[in-house]
Amino acid sequence: MNIINILDEIEKVDGEIYERLSPRRKAMKDFFNVGKKVSLAALPLALGSMFQKAYGQTNPTSVTEVLNFALALEYLEYNYYNHALTNSTIVFPNAASRTAIETIRGHERAHVDLLKGALNITGADAYVDADFDFTGAATFGTAFADVFSNYATFLKVAIAFEDTGVRAYKGQAGVLKQNAVLTTALQIHSVEARHAAHVRQMAAAAGIPLKPWIAYAANGNDTGIAQVNAVYAGEQSTMQAGVEITGINGTAVTQTHAAECFDEILNGTTVKTIANIFIRTKKLA
Amino acid sequence: MENLNEPKQDVLNESTILEAKLQRRSFLRYAGAGAAVVALTAAGCRKDRVAIPNMGATLDFKDDVGVLNYAYALEQLEAAFYIRVASALPSSFTTVQRNYFQDVQFHEIAHREFFKKALAGNAIGSLEVDFSSIDFTSGAAVLAAAQTFEDLGVAAYNGAGVRITNTANLVIAGQIVSVEARHAAWVRDQINPGSFANLSTLVPFGANVAGGLDGALTPDRVLALAKPFIKTQINVINL
């Protein structure tokens, strides 16, 4: 009997199960503790009582808000890659680079579907391609005008989206603390980090010198693209939880290592401001 | 090295032994990891061989200190691996690979030292590692081991996050895990270009392909997978 599988199965029919369970953190914790002491035969009874308690609660709006926020970012990413693959004149340098973008698009689509399910949304996507201006013209003018015709520009914007995504999920972790949905959010978060690392390497292969991790730059932005400064603000930090990482405990850890080895969070307001640059209407509030 | 059969023991050592026995008993009561329990039970039978100064490390998951020590243990393992690699890089490594393994080495050292400093008096001791199964002269073997450590590290942080009760600690874990994921993606691409987030290969680490979800494993499963690389006995309680 696997409790996680059961929750997964319930999630398929009731996407809000984790939200319903979350206010009953204590009940859930109690359940897991009880589970260690009671026999397997007694488990279904204990489970039933936990769910009864869970469904008696109202949804915590903060968790719903985080999931909706995450969904909007996933819509942005999915539509960006989908546009590049289906409606662009981008010349991919080789089959592998196109395949990599297809892989990433697939993950973003999976995240959209997962989050829609978790939010119990069964209808059409709330955001489609036409809702986005991926050149960000209203803010950036013509800087990214060739985003769907120039491979390098396409990669630059992709890197900004992925690095933003990594920071955005991290920034919401506190709201999801000790909630079962946190694990799922973390599992999405690290996939976004893998994407970021790979797209940065695609850029490196295309002559844009970037590391898979965010290297030190005085303003945090190691891409050298001034338009995306806001995406990287604070990434230069070498101080974590009040501890200076450079040369920590007498080691040879440099300022660059120190900045690279911890990614920084980005608060929801900043992420929304960044995302809204690329959203025509239905801007994130 | 002292052992239990020695006739004369001072009071301090005796109390240490009693505590150790108690830890073992509570571990056996709480731990769900079958393999670890078996190994420990076997160790418990060999009373004449128990070394007093080397009772191992105890991870008590009753609070954040235990979770952070768990992270500290894993960062010790990773740092030790990369230090060993950097001491004699495989001759097949490219310049970029040499540079990035150097980078990663210092990232992991920084993570290890961060936890050591943050935990201060609550930190577990230094772990003794066992890399005898890794051929450090082979680029392929080093990359394969690095991939395992990074993917396992990601799954470990992802699986342990929900246990953290303090927001600042949770944020720190999040700040580290995405860097581990960047390492994992890069190392994977060195072995098999395009495999940076091949989730189907990460299913044994708890990945979910349909959901586009990375690995996530509970500490008992992570420690069972890490066990072949750690000589020091790790006791887990209150998991």
Side-chain angles (χ1 to χ4, degrees):
Chain A
M1 181 167 215
N2 185 330
I3 175 70
I4 303 303
N5 283 348
I6 292 168
L7 291 173
D8 283 347
E9 287 305 309
I10 293 167
E11 194 192 17
K12 284 176 190 163
V13 291
D14 177 5
E16 290 171 336
I17 176 65
Y18 287 120
E19 291 164 43
R20 291 189 204 280
L21 287 173
S22 67
R24 303 300 304 176
R25 242 178 253 151
K26 180 74 167 54
M28 202 146 168
K29 211 168 181 177
D30 288 345
F31 166 75
F32 284 118
N33 289 336
V34 165
K36 285 169 187 152
K37 292 162 197 153
V38 299
S39 70
L40 271 175
L43 269 174
L45 186 66
L47 202 60
S49 106
M50 179 180 73
F51 285 140
Q52 197 173 22
K53 284 174 184 171
Y55 279 89
Q57 296 295 311
T58 53
N59 291 338
T61 52
S62 56
V63 171
T64 307
E65 277 167 19
V66 168
L67 294 180
N68 272 306
F69 172 62
L71 178 57
L73 296 180
E74 298 292 350
Y75 276 133
L76 173 79
E77 290 185 312
Y78 165 73
N79 281 286
Y80 180 66
Y81 295 117
N82 194 52
H83 191 130
L85 289 165
T86 61
N87 187 23
S88 84
T89 56
I90 293 168
V91 179
F92 288 90
N94 48 46
S97 56
R98 188 181 175 91
T99 302
I101 297 303
E102 286 170 353
T103 298
I104 294 173
R105 175 184 62 176
H107 292 157
E108 310 301 7
R109 183 69 236 181
H111 297 162
V112 165
D113 292 339
L114 184 93
L115 291 166
K116 280 176 77 175
L119 288 161
N120 221 8
I121 299 169
T122 52
D125 286 2
Y127 286 89
V128 296
D129 190 54
D131 294 317
F132 300 102
D133 172 13
F134 293 111
T135 71
T139 303
F140 298 141
T142 57
F144 297 143
D146 58 354
V147 70
F148 289 126
S149 57
N150 182 326
Y151 179 65
T153 307
F154 163 71
L155 291 180
K156 288 174 183 174
V157 175
I159 290 166
F161 285 161
E162 295 295 346
D163 282 333
T164 300
V166 173
R167 298 190 69 175
Y169 273 96
K170 225 190 297 292
Q172 300 304 314
V175 181
L176 305 179
K177 191 174 65 180
Q178 290 190 288
N179 188 313
V181 83
L182 172 71
T183 305
T184 306
L186 285 171
Q187 288 174 282
I188 294 176
H189 167 250
S190 60
V191 167
E192 302 294 348
R194 288 175 187 266
H195 293 171
H198 187 78
V199 182
R200 282 171 158 267
Q201 287 304 284
M202 291 172 75
I208 305 163
L210 287 176
K211 290 182 177 185
W213 27 91
I214 302 170
Y216 174 83
N219 67 351
N221 182 2
D222 69 336
T223 70
I225 304 160
Q227 286 81 5
V228 297
N229 277 348
V231 171
Y232 297 95
E235 282 289 355
Q236 71 272 28
S237 174
T238 60
M239 184 77 85
Q240 302 298 341
V243 175
E244 174 57 53
I245 305 299
T246 306
I248 183 171
N249 292 344
T251 60
V253 173
T254 64
Q255 181 185 48
T256 295
H257 298 138
E260 287 172 352
C261 71
F262 286 81
D263 282 339
E264 302 297 321
I265 65 165
L266 213 49
N267 66 44
T269 307
T270 308
V271 174
K272 284 173 185 172
T273 303
I274 292 168
N276 281 339
I277 292 170
F278 301 95
I279 299 174
R280 290 181 203 274
T281 56
K282 296 191 274 187
K283 287 186 188 287
L284 300 175
Chain B
M1 298 267 276
E2 289 185 61
N3 87 38
L4 286 173
N5 285 348
E6 282 183 7
K8 286 182 183 177
Q9 291 159 343
D10 62 39
V11 175
L12 189 70
N13 275 349
E14 242 165 34
S15 72
T16 310
I17 293 161
L18 287 172
E19 272 174 32
K21 280 183 174 169
L22 208 67
Q23 283 175 357
R24 280 167 181 247
R25 212 174 291 137
S26 39
F27 171 84
L28 290 172
R29 197 180 298 147
Y30 288 110
V37 171
V38 171
L40 209 62
T41 310
C45 294
R46 286 155 47 209
K47 279 181 184 148
D48 57 329
R49 300 276 304 275
V50 175
I52 291 156
N54 212 358
M55 284 314 298
T58 297
L59 302 177
D60 183 348
F61 282 92
K62 75 176 192 300
D63 56 23
D64 283 10
V65 169
V67 184
L68 297 182
N69 264 315
Y70 167 60
Y72 178 41
L74 295 174
E75 295 294 352
Q76 284 193 45
L77 177 64
E78 286 191 301
F81 169 73
Y82 287 103
I83 289 168
R84 177 72 190 277
V85 173
S87 70
L89 288 160
S91 55
S92 66
F93 269 17
T94 64
T95 303
V96 171
Q97 287 175 332
R98 286 167 175 267
N99 290 341
Y100 286 177
F101 263 77
Q102 189 84 356
D103 274 5
V104 176
Q105 177 200 1
F106 280 105
H107 296 167
E108 306 299 4
I109 288 172
H111 293 164
R112 181 192 69 192
E113 295 302 317
F114 170 80
F115 285 117
K116 187 179 183 180
K117 193 158 192 170
L119 283 160
N122 291 317
I124 57 170
S126 294
L127 299 183
E128 206 181 334
V129 294
D130 178 1
F131 296 138
S132 58
S133 62
I134 302 167
D135 175 4
F136 284 91
T137 64
S138 158
V142 167
L143 287 169
Q147 180 185 318
T148 300
F149 287 132
E150 297 295 351
D151 284 340
L152 186 62
V154 170
Y157 278 102
N158 282 351
V162 75
R163 295 175 176 276
I164 298 174
T165 59
N166 175 288
T167 300
N169 291 337
L170 179 57
V171 168
I172 284 289
Q175 290 183 261
I176 292 176
V177 68
S178 56
V179 175
E180 304 291 357
R182 290 173 190 271
H183 294 165
W186 178 72
V187 170
R188 283 179 150 266
D189 281 338
Q190 302 311 297
I191 297 169
N192 186 4
S195 68
F196 56 99
N198 185 340
L199 300 179
S200 58
T201 62
L202 286 163
V203 168
F205 287 164
N208 175 318
V209 177
L213 303 178
D214 208 329
L217 291 176
T218 50
D220 54 335
R221 293 188 60 194
V222 170
L223 291 169
L225 290 167
K227 195 176 169 61
F229 304 104
I230 304 174
K231 267 188 203 152
T232 307
Q233 179 183 293
I234 296 182
N235 307 319
V236 174
I237 58 174
N238 293 321
L239 189 61

